[in-house]
Amino acid sequence: MSPLDLLVAAPLGFMIAALLLGAWARWSLLAAIPVMAGLAVWLLLLPAGSAHVVGDWNLPLGVQLRADGLAQMMVGATAACASLIGLYALHEFAPGPDRSETAHGFAFWPLFYLLWGGANTGFLSTDLFNLYIALEMVSLAAVAMAAMGSLRAALRYFVIALVGSLAYLLGVALLFSNYATVDLTLLAATARPDLATKTALAVMTAGLLIKAAVFPLHGWLPPAHAAAPAPASALLSAIVVKVGFVILLRLWFEAFPTIVAPAGLEVLGWLGALAVLYGSVQAIRQNVLKALVAYSTVAQIGYLLLAFPLVATAAGTGGAWAGMTIHAVAHLLAKAAMFLAAGLMLEAVNGKRLEDLRGLARAMPLTVAAFGLAAVSLMGLPPSVGFIAKFLLLEAAVEQGAVFAAAVLLIGGLLGAVYLFSPLAWTFAGSDTPVVVSRAPLRTAAPLALALLAVSLGFAGQAMVEVTAVAPWAGPPTAVAVDVR
């Protein structure tokens, strides 16, 4: 079998194993981590643009899985992120004192693998209906995980996600009736600027904006992420919203680049700018830590949409495309680290507000360091990978004369510093050192490893740019040298 097949099949196999193992399901992670890590490395070593049609059926009947630069980056980052979140969850959902399995522990592991398999499918597949299946796999797991914290938030998420799914599926049906295929590569060669195609693109875009929690369709995200257990929040914020974004990217820049109107790209760019500003202001207003981190996700997703008009301009394609892709990876790693660290801190103080963190830096230095390093990447400070991403986006905006986009990038960074320094300031406030219960080493190590990865990948900026240069459309963007002198 191809590694492309195995990256989809293996998590589903682990999901079935987790269901059968019951109380022992969590130990399946010890097999899943090396298997998935090995497959992710294998994927990175494949020749650029490698593709495989499942079952060896010819297109359009077959389902094609493809390893372009975007897929390689996202699958690799997802493998690292999910592995470390899983290690954290080993103790979060450990059996109780009587060795009995908790309801959350029994449900988490099958959902965890379902989400992982759905995300890999979403990053690798070029079949729009198969991508719908991926969206449903991820949404089903995400809603169930959100219900572990708040049934009300989960039901709200379910209803909104259902609307997004139906909108996307309606667009797929329109395209199939018009072209007799839903493969992205075939659509790119045959797409026509007729009413059916434009309508399909519009409704699919609306559905995917809901899935990606893009302002103003983000209403489900803050309550769901803030209420869920820390591992679930990390998965929702780091991975789930990226699946919708990647599919949106493929629709606009791979399937229908000749149909997309410049005005449509500008609308998405404006939505991204509003998301950056609105999400940042809302994060500043929060005095509940997980709500602050959740609204930060709304702001950070905005940068991805802000890049759409920059990518579409030929003069800035390479840098803007690389910056957008690298920012998705940077946010994935840093936000997972931040939610895990926040979960540990709030559990230690048995609270949820920022003032409850008073003096915690002295009691939990490694956990606070993980939160701080993740904040460095989200703010876009050197030497983090977040800095590389935002530098490339800012450079593309300046080269294209996109003054407004450049201003939003700079203002968003400043606002990010304001809301992320706030919880850190509270951890150093006061002179007393709170007494906290010692935590399992893996729970402390997981967010710290993710945060260190988000910072240290900044030193591999040129290599990441070279990987992202393998773009999904014909005539990939030229690799951009990262020179920040």
Side-chain angles (χ1 to χ4, degrees):
M1 293 181 71
S2 162
L4 298 166
D5 293 329
L6 292 172
L7 281 164
V8 174
L12 301 182
F14 284 115
M15 179 193 72
I16 295 171
L19 288 169
L20 296 175
L21 288 171
W24 296 92
R26 64 194 186 116
W27 299 116
S28 62
L29 186 72
L30 301 182
I33 289 177
V35 168
M36 298 306 295
L39 290 173
V41 172
W42 190 1
L43 183 74
L44 285 170
L45 296 177
L46 288 178
S50 296
H52 172 70
V53 181
V54 178
D56 294 326
W57 289 90
N58 292 326
L59 296 176
L61 291 178
V63 174
Q64 181 177 245
L65 303 176
R66 188 187 55 209
D68 57 20
L70 176 63
Q72 289 174 317
M73 292 273 286
M74 296 305 298
V75 169
T78 297
C81 181
S83 296
L84 289 166
I85 292 173
L87 290 174
Y88 180 102
L90 279 177
H91 294 277
E92 178 86 4
F93 299 114
D98 60 352
R99 311 305 299 169
S100 62
E101 183 75 358
T102 64
H104 287 177
F106 179 81
F108 177 80
W109 295 106
L111 295 171
F112 171 76
Y113 293 123
L114 178 64
L115 191 153
W116 198 344
N120 283 351
T121 304
F123 299 144
L124 293 169
S125 181
T126 66
D127 183 275
L128 290 175
F129 185 75
N130 201 45
L131 290 172
Y132 166 74
I133 301 299
L135 284 171
E136 291 305 282
M137 290 166 65
V138 170
S139 295
L140 177 63
V143 168
M145 287 184 180
M148 294 179 182
S150 168
L151 184 59
R152 181 175 181 177
L155 287 173
R156 183 179 182 180
Y157 182 10
F158 172 75
V159 172
I160 296 175
L162 183 62
V163 173
S165 297
L166 291 175
Y168 178 85
L169 186 59
L170 174 61
V172 173
L174 285 171
L175 290 176
F176 184 78
S177 66
N178 206 21
Y179 298 101
T181 182
V182 287
D183 183 80
L184 289 169
T185 55
L186 296 180
L187 287 171
T190 59
R192 304 178 299 272
D194 54 28
L195 180 60
T197 303
K198 292 180 178 178
T199 303
L201 180 60
V203 295
M204 293 173 79
T205 297
L208 292 170
L209 291 178
I210 292 174
K211 295 288 188 179
V214 174
F215 176 87
L217 305 175
H218 67 287
W220 61 268
L221 185 148
H225 290 202
S233 297
L235 289 167
L236 293 173
S237 188
I239 298 174
V240 171
V241 295
K242 303 301 186 307
V243 177
F245 161 72
V246 168
I247 299 173
L248 184 66
L249 207 60
R250 297 202 184 282
L251 272 180
W252 281 65
F253 295 113
E254 181 177 356
F256 304 114
T258 59
I259 293 175
V260 169
L265 291 163
E266 290 297 330
V267 168
L268 290 183
W270 275 94
L271 288 178
L274 291 173
V276 171
L277 300 175
Y278 172 84
S280 298
V281 170
Q282 288 298 318
I284 291 171
R285 297 180 59 202
Q286 302 304 309
N287 59 7
V288 174
L289 179 60
K290 288 189 73 176
L292 182 153
V293 180
Y295 274 107
S296 168
T297 298
V298 176
Q300 296 295 323
I301 292 296
Y303 289 109
L304 300 175
L305 271 292
L306 183 66
F308 269 54
L310 304 178
V311 170
T313 302
T317 299
W321 173 262
M324 179 173 58
T325 307
I326 294 172
H327 179 70
V329 172
H331 178 259
L332 188 151
L333 297 171
K335 190 51 64 72
M338 188 167 283
F339 264 117
L340 295 184
L344 282 178
M345 292 191 291
L346 295 179
E347 182 180 327
V349 300
N350 194 27
K352 60 181 182 179
R353 305 173 77 85
L354 296 185
E355 52 264 35
D356 295 330
L357 306 178
R358 187 186 299 271
L360 207 55
R362 291 181 289 277
M364 304 177 72
L366 292 179
T367 302
V368 173
F371 190 97
L373 289 172
V376 165
S377 186
L378 291 177
M379 286 185 283
L381 298 179
S384 69
V385 69
F387 168 72
I388 298 296
K390 288 177 180 172
F391 174 83
L392 289 171
L393 290 174
L394 183 61
E395 183 180 48
V398 172
E399 287 178 354
Q400 297 178 41
V403 177
F404 178 72
V408 170
L409 285 164
L410 294 174
I411 294 171
L414 294 174
L415 292 175
V418 173
Y419 65 72
L420 291 171
F421 273 127
S422 179
L424 287 171
W426 278 107
T427 64
F428 288 93
S431 56
D432 297 332
T433 302
V435 178
V436 300
V437 178
S438 178
R439 303 296 168 190
L442 278 178
R443 296 184 73 196
T444 302
L448 185 59
L450 283 165
L452 287 171
L453 192 58
V455 172
S456 61
L457 277 178
F459 295 101
Q462 187 61 50
M464 296 180 74
V465 169
E466 291 171 359
V467 172
T468 60
V470 185
W473 58 78
T478 304
V480 179
V482 181
D483 183 3
V484 295
R485 290 177 296 174

